Amino acid sequence: MKRELNHHYIGESYGGNQDWFRTFWMRIGGCGAETACESSLYFAREFGFTKLYPFDADDIKREEYVDFAHMMEDYLWPRFTGINKLSIYINGYVKYLRDNGEYRVDVDELSGDHTYEEAAEKVKEQIDAGLPIPFLTLRHKDAKYSDYVWHWYLVNGYDDTEDGFKVKAVTYSGYKWLDFEGLWNTGCKPTGGMIIYTVNEDEVL
């Protein structure tokens, strides 16, 4: 079974790209902020939570997206060691949500210490609920995942077949289908993990 969430384009770019950012530190360490921007745009477009994107979410312009990323920098700024803990992302993004009057989105985590089976079930649960998943990979023993090391990116789909379970990993204006068992079982510590969104549309604003 294959499930993919809708995702925005910016011109011909599949989502944003941290190479566009205006400062050196955001270009090399702005992946956490960018993942929060991608999440916010998704909530604005798919759930109608329009306060989370300060521009037109139906006509996304690159310059406005970059402006937005530097607004998000106030909440998820690059550190010397990067945003290397799920809790840093949670604290920063929850503050952004609440500062913009959005209480219908809750943010939790599933650490990389959980088993592959637990993680795969959570991926299915989130995507089936129509929710994207910010991912953090820190170290990895397998060089084929080197593009995702010490990096935040978004997962917005899965493909569950008899040949294995794959996830759709979005970063740098594109996406790749990755073997999830290989991605999750890094063989290294610390492990990273995934951010779990919950939406309660009945929450009183």
Side-chain angles (χ1 to χ4, degrees), residues 125-139:
E125 178 184 307
Q126 292 297 104
I127 299 299
D128 288 349
L131 295 167
I133 309 168
F135 257 76
L136 170 64
T137 300
L138 293 173
R139 298 180 176 90

Side-chain angles (χ1 to χ4, degrees), residues 135-168:
F135 257 76
L136 170 64
T137 300
L138 293 173
R139 298 180 176 90
H140 206 295
K141 64 182 180 182
D142 192 335
K144 74 181 179 184
Y145 298 105
S146 60
D147 288 344
Y148 303 89
V149 166
W150 219 265
H151 190 51
W152 284 92
Y153 50 97
L154 201 71
V155 163
N156 69 355
Y158 70 81
D159 190 6
D160 192 8
T161 72
E162 19 181 77
D163 294 328
F165 184 67
K166 294 185 178 182
V167 294
K168 186 179 179 183

